[in-house]
Amino acid sequence: MKKLIASLAAATALATPAYAGDVRHLMGPLMENPTPDQIDTKCDFYLGEIDLRRDALLGDQAAPTIENTLERIDNMFGLASAAGAEFTLYRQVLIEAAQREAASNCEIRVGSIYNELGLSRELYDRLIAVDMAEADDDTQRYLAFLVRNFEAGGVALDEEKRARIKEIGDELSNLSATFARNIADGGHELVVTPEELAGVPEDFIAAREVNADGTITLTTSYTYYQPVMQYADSDDLRRRYAVIYSQRAWPQNDDVLRQIFTLRAEMAQLLGRENYAALAFEDKMLTEPARVRQLMADVAAAAAPVAESDYARMLAVLQELQPDAERIEPWQSSWLSPKTQQKLYDYDPQEARQYFAYDNVRDGVFRLTERMFGIEIREWDTRLWHEDAEPYEVFEDGELIGRFILDSHPRPGKFTHANNVHVYPGGPGQPPLTTVVQNLPKGDHSTGLMEHSQVTTFLHEFGHALHAIFGSDQRWYGQIYNRVEWDFIEAPSQMLEKWVYDYDTLATFAVNAESETIPRELVEKMNQARYFNRGLFEVGQLGLTNVSLRFHSEEVPEDLGAAMREWRNEYSLIPVMDSSQMQAAFSHLDGYSAYYYTYGWSRVIAEDLYARFLAEGKNNPEVSMEYRRKVLDPGATRGAGDMVADFLGREVSVDAFKAELEKGMK
């Protein structure tokens, strides 16, 4: 504890008295295995530094300038953002519940000061008085962005309404932390016999701990859930498992969600918006609900015939296996998909997975992105919170440009899905630090084989990490990569997923236990089968988009589960189970609020971006580097639409997306 306090105090002493200095040197380092007290101490440090800078700015009598006002405000928001991300990471990955709770509490405190800064009329008044006559384009764009955010957040409201907006923001920060904690802690278990797992890959069973009575306990972690739902022969097992999986964090999160939706609606009303969706879309590429609904209609029109074809072909296979079947049940769809792929395309996902051991996949993804983007990835010698966490450094032309940490394997209490947490933005003399937290099999070919879909997930999340490193070298914290329009943020990672269907790429790392490279014929079958079920996937995503939009644009329903099921079923050809309460663990209802459509719109952009690679060479280094320089490197210094148009030579089109969908009809 004394060492930590001393190091933080030393960092504070480095700050220059006049403007309190750039805050990069105050960010980090990550703590290896902090106690709750150490987490609290570091939280106090970050918030204290923000307070010092705010007090210094508000006490400055000099005329507002870029240097004495915009830079200071940017530093405050940058420090708050880095602090929030650091404690989000601790909450997701630390071992002990007390550690995670302390981190969660700090997230709430950081959220509160963020809200306070954004509602400060004093900061806003100084900001709009800044002389921008000599400012460059990036700076002018950034100041306009900040002013818009202040105004959209309610800074111009009267004192009473600003106070209520602040209260709502603080309450939402608390509820967000509770919502995430309930998901992490709200899993269920299913005890099964080995016989019930017939059909499930042997390496999955071998990696599970056997109870004293010979049974095996399945958790609702998706690393358990996915293989069982995809391969288990037992319809009854899959049904029972689907029920408990769809009820994670229920009923405890229903009350949390109801409060979140109600408070967001009140905030929108105070800010003069029709509903929260209208407020949330204003700074996106698709700026209003009407444009989102049009996107949904366009995707539905393109996906519906493909989905109907998918459904008919799967139902035919089901009726061969179960002649009395009249429809596909929700717990059968994942199981039927590989069986249909095998029948139609002679493609067996279990045959493919033998070539995807975690270590090989990781190293292969590294080599792919090194070739594409002109970088070198090396191991980074640093101590971390768990033996599974893997630190790396990224170099370009011998210069360190970023660091990342992979935390790839499940453990109790850890974040249960996959995401990128960008911890420190970096800057001159300090490279950015970003992390990828996911849950993938651990081990060699005997226990750690990955589904091809998990290989896709790995590359997707690693794509976010690369975007974070490439797009964070900006003058202003508010223009790093994750300040780009949020309905674009998924597009680069979704585009990158395409390379794990490329034989030349897979041949560099996909080998079985005998070191035999994945056969070209198998990859060709994989590519034939990849378009199957795309229609059902897209209408399923539309159902989730509908849930996200309607919870934020209508009166809060009394029965959240019933509303969720109704809204999903407006699009899905396979109705949601009557017992489903998936809203309680649908984390995007918090983080993405009304704009889950982001994923669908990003897939439209991703297909369009990839069309140029298809035309000029998937492994053409000149195209890859142009893409990096024009789309990834700029961060948020330009609008997403402008960056995409610069790379494509035209505006975004849905043509490539529609053409890709139509391949599912063949």
Side-chain angles (χ1 to χ4, degrees):
M1 175 66 78
K2 290 180 179 179
K3 183 177 180 181
L4 174 65
I5 294 174
S7 66
L8 297 180
T12 305
L14 294 174
T16 55
Y19 296 160
D22 191 288
V23 296
R24 289 172 174 86
H25 65 280
L26 301 178
M27 299 177 183
L30 287 177
M31 296 183 285
E32 178 186 346
N33 188 29
T35 65
D37 284 347
Q38 288 173 319
I39 291 172
D40 292 343
T41 298
K42 193 165 190 184
C43 190
D44 291 341
F45 168 73
Y46 277 136
L47 300 185
E49 287 295 326
I50 293 170
D51 279 337
L52 286 173
R53 281 156 177 73
R54 177 173 50 185
D55 292 346
L57 174 58
L58 296 181
D60 194 336
Q61 300 302 309
T65 66
I66 292 172
E67 290 74 19
N68 74 14
T69 298
L70 181 58
E71 284 188 1
R72 284 162 141 176
I73 291 174
D74 183 54
N75 276 331
M76 283 185 269
F77 280 117
L79 191 55
S81 179
E86 180 172 339
F87 293 104
T88 294
L89 177 66
Y90 294 151
R91 189 249 304 159
Q92 289 190 5
V93 303
L94 291 179
I95 306 298
E96 301 297 331
Q99 295 172 300
R100 298 193 299 271
E101 183 176 2
S104 179
N105 290 337
C106 188
E107 284 183 284
I108 295 169
R109 294 175 64 194
V110 172
S112 179
I113 202 167
Y114 217 109
N115 296 333
E116 195 173 315
L117 294 173
L119 286 165
S120 170
R121 185 64 194 238
E122 294 89 345
L123 294 182
Y124 171 75
D125 287 342
R126 283 193 63 95
L127 192 65
I128 60 176
V130 171
D131 181 2
M132 298 293 288
E134 304 299 322
D136 59 30
D137 289 345
D138 285 354
T139 301
Q140 292 194 31
R141 176 181 170 83
Y142 180 45
L143 185 132
F145 167 83
L146 273 180
V147 169
R148 184 262 162 209
N149 276 6
F150 270 103
E151 292 173 350
V155 74
L157 296 174
D158 61 42
E159 185 174 349
E160 181 181 353
K161 288 182 178 178
R162 284 205 316 275
R164 179 55 187 153
I165 291 284
K166 172 65 167 58
E167 289 176 359
I168 291 173
D170 289 349
E171 289 180 58
L172 286 172
S173 294
N174 275 282
L175 290 166
S176 177
T178 302
F179 185 71
R181 186 164 57 247
N182 286 344
I183 294 174
D185 298 339
H188 301 288
E189 293 182 346
L190 187 66
V191 178
V192 300
T193 64
E195 291 75 22
E196 287 183 282
L197 293 174
V200 177
E202 287 298 325
D203 62 278
F204 172 86
I205 298 173
R208 309 280 79 82
E209 184 176 345
V210 178
N211 300 324
D213 61 357
T215 59
I216 294 173
T217 300
L218 302 177
T219 73
T220 46
S221 165
Y222 73 78
T223 50
Y224 282 70
Y225 185 71
Q226 182 181 14
V228 173
M229 296 303 292
Q230 192 165 354
Y231 297 119
D233 294 335
S234 172
D235 236 19
D236 182 64
L237 170 60
R238 283 184 273 105
R239 179 191 60 78
R240 288 183 288 130
Y241 207 1
V243 168
I244 68 166
Y245 186 80
S246 70
Q247 295 181 352
R248 291 165 296 140
W250 180 79
Q252 57 268 41
N253 262 349
D254 264 15
D255 182 57
V256 177
L257 281 174
R258 191 171 286 104
Q259 293 178 69
I260 288 173
F261 299 147
T262 301
L263 288 168
R264 285 173 174 168
E266 182 186 352
M267 177 184 287
Q269 183 180 33
L270 286 168
L271 294 170
R273 305 318 197 268
E274 180 182 2
N275 51 53
Y276 188 80
L279 176 65
F281 294 165
E282 288 178 349
D283 61 350
K284 308 300 183 293
M285 293 181 74
L286 303 185
T287 53
E288 57 187 6
R291 296 184 66 185
V292 174
R293 291 190 180 97
Q294 185 59 56
L295 171 69
M296 294 170 66
D298 291 344
V299 172
V306 185
E308 290 166 2
S309 173
D310 291 338
Y311 186 93
R313 288 184 283 180
M314 282 211 297
L315 180 58
V317 171
L318 176 61
Q319 289 172 335
E320 289 181 7
L321 299 168
Q322 300 177 10
D324 295 336
E326 297 179 354
R327 63 181 182 272
I328 299 171
E329 301 291 356
W331 56 87
Q332 294 174 322
S333 57
S334 295
W335 169 73
L336 274 174
S337 182
K339 292 185 180 302
T340 309
Q341 288 177 320
Q342 187 163 13
K343 180 175 180 61
L344 296 178
Y345 310 103
D346 193 29
Y347 173 66
D348 181 1
Q350 287 214 51
E351 181 183 359
R353 69 192 298 276
Q354 66 178 300
Y355 295 96
F356 299 126
Y358 172 80
D359 287 354
N360 292 339
V361 170
R362 177 201 60 210
D363 295 347
V365 165
F366 288 178
R367 290 194 295 270
L368 165 67
T369 51
E370 285 175 330
R371 292 191 303 271
M372 289 184 71
F373 299 124
I375 57 175
E376 180 186 359
I377 298 171
R378 306 175 189 169
E379 292 185 3
W380 173 27
D381 183 15
T382 189
R383 295 177 64 87
L384 297 172
W385 51 87
H386 193 273
E387 61 181 9
D388 285 347
E390 307 168 272
Y392 296 92
E393 296 181 314
V394 180
F395 292 82
E396 183 175 16
D397 298 327
E399 178 185 354
L400 177 65
I401 64 168
R403 293 184 170 114
F404 66 90
I405 298 167
L406 304 178
D407 192 338
S408 297
H409 309 301
R411 56 182 177 270
K414 182 186 169 186
F415 177 72
T416 56
H417 289 281
N419 71 345
N420 166 236
V421 182
H422 188 50
V423 187
Y424 306 134
Q430 180 175 321
L433 172 64
T434 196
T435 60
V436 175
V437 181
Q438 50 194 346
N439 289 269
L440 300 171
K442 178 183 179 182
D444 56 19
H445 283 86
S446 63
T447 60
L449 293 177
M450 297 168 61
E451 298 292 331
H452 185 260
S453 61
Q454 292 174 316
V455 179
T456 304
T457 296
F458 185 107
L459 183 54
H460 177 103
E461 297 301 341
F462 188 61
H464 283 307
L466 290 177
H467 194 185
I469 290 171
F470 297 150
S472 290
D473 187 18
Q474 316 302 339
R475 176 183 180 184
W476 304 107
Y477 292 113
Q479 290 186 326
I480 67 172
Y481 92 107
N482 58 4
R483 297 300 188 272
V484 76
E485 293 96 322
W486 205 249
D487 51 355
F488 171 76
I489 197 73
E490 297 293 338
S493 286
Q494 288 177 334
M495 197 272 290
L496 196 58
E497 293 173 12
K498 301 290 188 179
W499 271 261
V500 294
Y501 288 93
D502 174 52
Y503 175 76
D504 291 336
T505 297
L506 291 177
T508 65
F509 67 85
V511 297
N512 62 16
E514 288 72 41
S515 298
E516 297 168 335
T517 301
I518 190 169
R520 183 181 293 272
E521 180 185 10
L522 179 58
V523 178
E524 290 173 353
K525 292 177 182 178
M526 179 192 298
N527 275 283
Q528 291 173 344
R530 67 188 281 199
Y531 301 104
F532 172 73
N533 239 5
R534 178 73 184 270
L536 282 173
F537 171 78
E538 289 296 344
V539 297
Q541 288 291 294
L542 285 171
L544 294 175
T545 296
N546 197 32
V547 168
S548 167
L549 177 60
R550 295 182 68 168
F551 271 136
H552 290 92
S553 57
E554 300 181 11
E555 290 290 330
V556 181
E558 183 176 344
D559 187 332
L560 300 187
M564 176 276 300
R565 294 189 292 273
E566 176 187 345
W567 294 337
R568 287 190 71 183
N569 288 342
E570 288 179 8
Y571 290 90
S572 179
L573 296 184
I574 303 175
V576 179
M577 290 184 299
D578 291 342
S579 60
S580 177
Q581 300 288 348
M582 62 78 58
Q583 76 283 347
F586 187 18
S587 59
H588 294 84
L589 285 176
D590 180 37
Y592 278 66
S593 66
Y595 45 95
Y596 187 79
Y597 81 87
T598 289
Y599 286 94
W601 175 234
S602 291
R603 282 192 294 279
V604 171
I605 299 170
E607 294 292 355
D608 214 14
L609 292 171
Y610 186 60
R612 182 173 171 194
F613 283 90
L614 281 178
E616 300 181 35
K618 288 180 287 187
N619 297 304
N620 183 331
E622 293 181 2
V623 178
S624 297
M625 287 303 294
E626 184 183 348
Y627 168 73
R628 176 186 160 186
R629 299 304 183 198
K630 290 183 174 180
V631 178
L632 302 181
D633 287 0
T637 59
R638 303 182 65 194
D642 292 337
M643 292 188 290
V644 171
D646 192 17
F647 176 68
L648 293 178
R650 56 171 173 76
E651 293 185 355
V652 174
S653 166
V654 299
D655 292 346
F657 175 79
K658 290 181 177 179
E660 191 77 357
L661 263 180
E662 289 169 1
K663 293 177 182 178
M665 299 288 285
K666 299 176 182 178

